[in-house]
Amino acid sequence: MTSAILQAARSLRAGLLIAGVVGLLGTAFTWRQTRHERAIDTEDIDRRARALSHVLSYTVHEALLGPADQVATRMGKRLDGYSRLLGCAVFGPDARVLAAGSQVAPHEPAIAAELHRLSPAEPEFSTTLHADGRPLRIRAERLLRDDGTLRGTFVVVHDVSFIDERAQARLTRGMLVVLLTTLLLVVLVVGVTWLAYDRPLQHLADWMRRLRIEDSPESPPGWLPSDRLVSETHRLAASYRAARTATFEGAHEAARVDRVWTSGRLRTHALDCLGIGNQLVVVSSREPYMHVLRDGRPHAVVPPGGVVTALDPVLQACGGVWIAHGTGAADRDTADAGGRLTVPPTAPCYTLRRVWLTPAEHDAYYGCCNDAIWPMCLLAHERPVFRTSDWTQYVAMNRRFADAVLEEIGGGNAVVLVQDYQMALVPQMIRDVRPDLRICLFWHIPWPSVEAIRICPWREEILRGMLGADLIGFHLQQYCNNFLDTIDRMLEARLDRDHFVAEVRGRATRVRPLPISVQPWAERGVEAGAALDRRVAALRQEHHLQGVEIAVGVDRVDHTKGLPERLRAFAHFLHKYPQHRGRVTLVQLAAPSRLHLKRYRDHLDELVRFAEEINQQFATAAWQPIQLLVDQHDAGTVHAFLSMASVAIVSSLHDGMNLVAKEYVLAQDGFQGCLILSEFAGAAQQLSDALVINPYDTEQFADAIRYAVEMPVDERADRMRRLRRQVDEHNIYRWAAELLSGIPAGSATRTGMASGPVVARS
Ligand code: ADQ
């Protein structure tokens, strides 16, 4: 829209320029024409004056032969004028008036002065003078005696104010025509430029954009300003499609050969990618294992959240160090003096290094993360708050994490995987000290359009911090495109859009879509077979779920997850389709999150109240429509609920990926589940066999729940098998392998380097 307005402004500018030139030429021509016609009118008056002089000259001669005081009597009424001819006058040789018409008399002094001024030797002359504010045209003829001496001067006087009036009228008419012509020209130029060039080129630009980011855009725009452009555009589309198909087929073939990635295969691949003597270092704000106090004794729990779910299996497979903020009440007691311990507690295989923050540092640092950057990137209608004091702490804490990374690496070599928006400045901070290290930043949340990022007062610092990485990963191609557009608009940068590389101040950073995934449930130590059946039966009994179908949701309690929208749609489903009351229960596992922030506490309270209201409205003695289980559940419980649910609901208002959708697919061993998935979750790009909904559309959402519970068995199985295949083939090990392969071998890469699609191979 903005670009269309800019384009229209540009056309208008061209139109105004052309119109300006035409207007100037028209004005000059009209002015010249008016002058010319004024000269013709004056000549005409002079001709009439000359004719009158000739007619009266004999009579004037005769009158001058007599005494001077009788000239007037002899001339009589002949000197009076009519209409534009004011009349005539006779002057003596000394330029004193001898006789004058009645209308000329008032102007005698002015005429006499003019006669004085001019040489008596001139036989006749015409001139214009202004008397009493009127323009008068006088024609004077010298009358000579036989000996050549001056006998008198005969003067014919015209009032020529009509010539000025006529010229003025002509000028006004002419300027009006010029103005109308100019206006018409502006409209024509702007209209024709818009229709013939701007609009088709705008369509062409839109189409090229779609060709770049979509899988199968429609054919190129039909009408373009030149035939050559049409044929070249068709050729470009054909080549692009061919290249894309080849890449797709190549990737498909590679995937077919490689198919499923395992932790063992990732380990081998990681050794290849890391090289000898390079350790893997992960840095994130959330820790993979947190120690809380239960009955006065430390107890390890896994905090809920996508970063941990995704990265822990990678470190378990590859080993290394994970640096994170220690938040558990018993965290200090379970770590050594340097904040280090080995994890997972059951089978230690990598080091966790905890970083400590004071309460004041904690509040300001997470204030910047959760009040500013999070709502800016996740478009869930929460207004970001940018506080300078928070930013100062954000910079300081990023420095602390970067220092911890550098301390862990010491003089050695490492590949550093920096995680998410809480660490945006860490890549450049590490790079400043160790330019040789290979650094990757993975951004777990969406990267919105440049317009959304523009509002951030620290946008440039954040971008420069991120660009310290050799590779920046996002979940989707769309986020990569948005990121490059942001760089393009905000920084002085060279972009290679073919290879998705941004070069700023001589350093190149690759930008890649790397959709994150999850680990197979079997590797997470959860029950299977009979043990799982027992856990499911126990949970059904505990929560009074016998004999009902279960729709499940598993989320951190966060505004972006669309939990009120989910409850509202479920209530509407019960209202609209009463035949399902008593037969379906929504079990919502809700992990409290960011409780140090008031709006998160309020959101949890609102959710609890809303669930109670719905329960009061629909519950019967034997059935409760919503079971809201507010807790951070262990993996076994999450898995059991996901496997027993015939429907899973993910209704994010905006989500980078959403791992729960994938966890549900992997939990459905009987292929009888149905996934309802928000179109605003990144996962919807990959899991197209889900029922994709708009969570804001309560009507559509409620209908989707109905469709899911009533879906025929065969359709459920078909959809779930296709979803399963997709998640099996794109598990977390493959993601990690592609991420490691994507980090260039040497840092400080330049755009000239070969950087084709990232396909991990072992
Ligand atoms: P999140 O939004 O935290 O992180 P999400 O993809 O929703 O991540 O995954 C949440 C994880 O926490 C899942 O593994 C889920 O099982 C677990 N979980 C949720 N509620 C729980 C509960 N009550 N008890 C126990 N476990 C629970 C960010 C981005 C996402 C992106 C991930 C990974 O916001 O868009 O998918 O990172 O990149």
Side-chain angles (χ1 to χ4, degrees), residues 286 302-311 374 378 419-421 442-446 475 479 516-518 521 524 553-558 560-561 588-594 629-635 638 642 652 654-661 663 681-682 735:
R286 188 164 295 175
V302 177
V307 176
V308 170
T309 306
L311 265 298
W374 173 269
L378 285 126
Q419 302 302 312
D420 224 358
Y421 64 100
F442 193 81
W443 196 262
H444 290 261
I445 60 177
H475 293 301
Y479 305 157
I516 208 162
S517 194
V518 286
W521 280 111
R524 292 172 74 172
V554 182
D555 304 80
R556 285 185 305 104
V557 179
D558 190 294
T560 60
K561 299 294 181 185
Q588 178 62 55
L589 307 192
S593 183
R594 302 175 188 172
L629 309 180
V630 180
D631 203 352
Q632 185 179 312
H633 302 274
D634 59 69
V638 173
L642 289 177
S652 313
H654 205 190
D655 216 336
M657 173 55 65
N658 193 287
L659 297 183
V660 177
E663 287 175 331
W735 172 83

Side-chain angles (χ1 to χ4, degrees), residues 372-675:
I373 306 179
W374 173 269
M376 175 178 71
C377 290
L378 285 126
L379 309 177
H381 311 292
E382 261 197 273
R383 181 183 282 197
V385 182
F386 301 104
R387 285 181 290 261
T388 310
S389 51
D390 288 359
W391 171 250
T392 309
Q393 213 47 254
Y394 182 85
V395 177
M397 292 307 105
N398 269 241
R399 168 85 48 212
R400 186 168 302 169
F401 283 108
D403 287 347
V405 170
L406 290 164
E407 196 182 311
E408 287 304 318
I409 296 170
N413 275 327
V415 171
V416 187
L417 306 184
V418 183
Q419 302 302 312
D420 224 358
Y421 64 100
Q422 297 95 342
M423 301 282 154
L425 310 180
V426 170
Q428 188 56 48
M429 287 174 171
I430 299 174
R431 172 78 59 218
D432 288 341
V433 182
R434 288 288 306 269
D436 57 312
L437 291 181
R438 293 162 68 200
I439 305 170
C440 161
L441 168 66
F442 193 81
W443 196 262
H444 290 261
I445 60 177
W447 189 274
S449 76
V450 58
E451 295 309 324
I453 300 289
R454 266 179 69 191
I455 60 170
C456 178
W458 320 297
R459 60 199 187 189
E460 214 177 303
E461 290 89 329
I462 289 177
L463 291 174
R464 290 198 190 284
M466 294 172 74
L467 287 168
D470 298 297
L471 169 71
I472 301 178
F474 294 97
H475 293 301
L476 305 184
Q477 180 67 56
Q478 181 63 54
Y479 305 157
C480 296
N481 296 345
N482 289 346
F483 182 73
L484 285 186
D485 287 347
T486 310
I487 299 286
D488 203 13
R489 283 276 289 280
M490 308 282 170
L491 300 181
E492 195 82 14
R494 233 181 75 197
L495 297 185
D496 177 352
R497 288 194 188 262
D498 291 340
H499 298 106
F500 276 79
V501 176
E503 189 179 313
V504 176
R505 292 181 183 162
R507 274 212 76 262
T509 300
R510 287 181 180 184
V511 179
R512 291 286 184 275
L514 295 161
I516 208 162
S517 194
V518 286
Q519 187 184 24
W521 280 111
E523 297 171 21
R524 292 172 74 172
V526 298
E527 292 98 337
L532 175 60
D533 293 343
R534 280 195 297 279
R535 167 85 87 135
V536 167
L539 286 172
R540 278 193 179 271
Q541 184 158 20
E542 184 185 347
H543 299 290
H544 313 290
L545 296 167
Q546 291 99 333
V548 289
E549 257 193 73
I550 292 173
V552 72
V554 182
D555 304 80
R556 285 185 305 104
V557 179
D558 190 294
H559 302 76
T560 60
K561 299 294 181 185
L563 296 174
E565 284 74 6
R566 189 178 307 173
L567 298 195
R568 193 171 302 120
F570 191 70
H572 190 56
F573 155 74
L574 295 175
H575 168 79
K576 194 171 172 185
Y577 304 109
Q579 67 272 27
H580 288 294
R581 291 183 198 169
R583 292 166 64 179
V584 187
T585 293
L586 172 63
V587 178
Q588 178 62 55
L589 307 192
S593 183
R594 302 175 188 172
L595 287 183
H596 58 283
L597 298 176
K598 181 174 178 311
R599 65 178 202 287
Y600 275 79
R601 291 196 297 276
D602 292 347
H603 189 54
L604 179 56
D605 292 346
E606 180 201 355
L607 206 65
V608 171
R609 266 199 312 279
F610 197 13
E612 278 168 6
E613 271 169 37
I614 297 170
N615 282 340
Q616 272 166 18
Q617 189 182 351
F618 295 103
T620 62
W623 168 75
Q624 183 169 303
I626 296 176
Q627 290 281 359
L628 181 62
L629 309 180
V630 180
D631 203 352
Q632 185 179 312
H633 302 274
D634 59 69
T637 307
V638 173
H639 173 243
F641 272 114
L642 289 177
S643 64
M644 76 172 92
S646 50
V647 179
I649 307 180
V650 172
S651 54
S652 313
L653 305 182
H654 205 190
D655 216 336
M657 173 55 65
N658 193 287
L659 297 183
V660 177
K662 296 186 175 183
E663 287 175 331
Y664 177 62
V665 170
L666 290 186
Q668 283 297 309
D669 287 336
F671 303 108
Q672 278 307 301
C674 180
L675 174 64

Side-chain angles (χ1 to χ4, degrees), residues 17 35 41 66-67 100 166 183 215 249-250 396 483 509 520 628 644 682 703 755:
L17 192 72
R35 266 175 58 119
D41 285 346
R166 202 183 270 175
L183 274 178
D215 275 347
E249 281 169 359
F483 182 73
T509 300
L628 181 62
M644 76 172 92
D703 289 347
S755 52

Side-chain angles (χ1 to χ4, degrees), residues 8-26:
R10 268 197 289 274
S11 309
L12 191 65
R13 225 166 33 218
L16 287 177
L17 192 72
I18 293 172
V21 172
V22 171
L24 271 178
L25 288 175

